[in-house]
Each structure stands twice: as C-alpha cells, then as structure tokens.
Amino acid sequence: MTEQQWQMWIDDAVMLIDTRAATLNVTAPLDQAKLDYVVREAVVAHVKRPEDATQVTVSVDDAATSKTYKSGKGRVTILDEWWLLLGLTDPAGAFAFDMVPSGSPHLPWCSLAFGAVYCSCGVDIAGVPIFEGAEDC
C-alpha cells in the first residue's frame, strides 16, 4: 500500500464525517481524539477487508494456499457505534417521536400511537378514553 492510498482513505473517512455533521447541522467542533480514533479505525477496517471477496486461492505447481476474508463494503465505512461516539447519530430513529399529536385525548398506549388505523382506547366512539385502563387516567 502506498502512502497516497492511505491518505485517500483517510480523506474519505473525514469527508463522510464532515458530511454527516453538516446533514445534522452540527456546527460545534468534534472532539479531536474521538475523531482521530474513528478515522483510524475506519481506515484500518477498510485495509483489513477492502473488498467483497470471500476467498482467495493461490496455486503453484502442487502447492496451494488460501485466505478467507470477511466480506467488506469495498469502501471506507463508519460503523454506527463510531457515529454514536462522535455524537453524530440521527435523532429521528424508530421511536424518536410521538406519532399522536400532543394534547391528544388518546391514551399513550392507544393503537393509533403505534401506527394502527383504528383506536383501541375508545376516544373515537366516546370522545374520551373508555378502554384499556382509562379509569387509571
């Protein structure tokens, strides 16, 4: 591997991190030690598994040697745990927001809150919760 290749992969990792920070509107500088760690780990992971090749066999006369690789992405990749370390995770995860508007008469555990097309707490028929522990509210 040449120094130029390594620098290209380092630049790729930094570009991915800068792009994620811009997408999430993060303007504060990232912790330099954490940034260095993530870039270093991403480049080393890429060097260890540069391609999607799973096995390489070299044969010479009667001898043969094989090496098996775990599948790589074929490009520098930042793992989810590294995004978390940098504080660059997307806040809009699977359960990052309430699907029922605030001030809703529906109970928090009403099926509407989980994407159903029907109400399970009774607000749709009575205007107030009448099922599923409504007496506790």
Side-chain angles (χ1 to χ4, degrees):
M1 306 266 164
T2 67
E3 183 180 336
Q4 193 173 23
Q5 286 176 312
W6 282 84
Q7 188 59 52
M8 181 181 66
W9 294 327
I10 291 169
D11 293 343
D12 289 350
V14 171
M15 183 262 314
L16 291 171
I17 293 167
D18 288 345
T19 301
R20 172 73 70 103
T23 300
L24 296 174
N25 295 317
V26 174
T27 56
L30 299 174
D31 180 279
Q32 191 62 47
K34 291 178 182 179
L35 178 63
D36 291 345
Y37 172 81
V38 170
V39 170
R40 190 170 48 246
E41 291 298 312
V43 171
V44 168
H46 177 68
V47 169
K48 287 182 177 178
R49 284 176 250 125
E51 300 177 10
D52 289 332
T54 55
Q55 184 170 5
V56 176
T57 304
V58 177
S59 298
V60 178
D61 296 330
D62 292 338
T65 183
S66 296
K67 181 149 179 146
T68 302
Y69 296 94
K70 291 182 180 177
S71 184
K73 300 258 186 207
R75 58 186 161 80
V76 174
T77 311
I78 309 294
L79 299 179
D80 290 340
E81 65 193 65
W82 298 335
W83 289 126
L84 183 63
L85 178 67
L86 292 171
L88 296 176
T89 55
D90 189 0
F95 297 101
F97 59 93
D98 188 359
M99 294 179 64
V100 177
S102 61
S104 170
H106 294 276
L107 296 173
W109 50 86
C110 178
S111 57
L112 286 175
F114 300 102
V117 293
Y118 60 90
C119 168
S120 64
C121 69
V123 169
D124 61 340
I125 57 174
V128 294
I130 56 174
F131 304 122
E132 300 182 338
E135 63 279 352
D136 297 333
C137 294

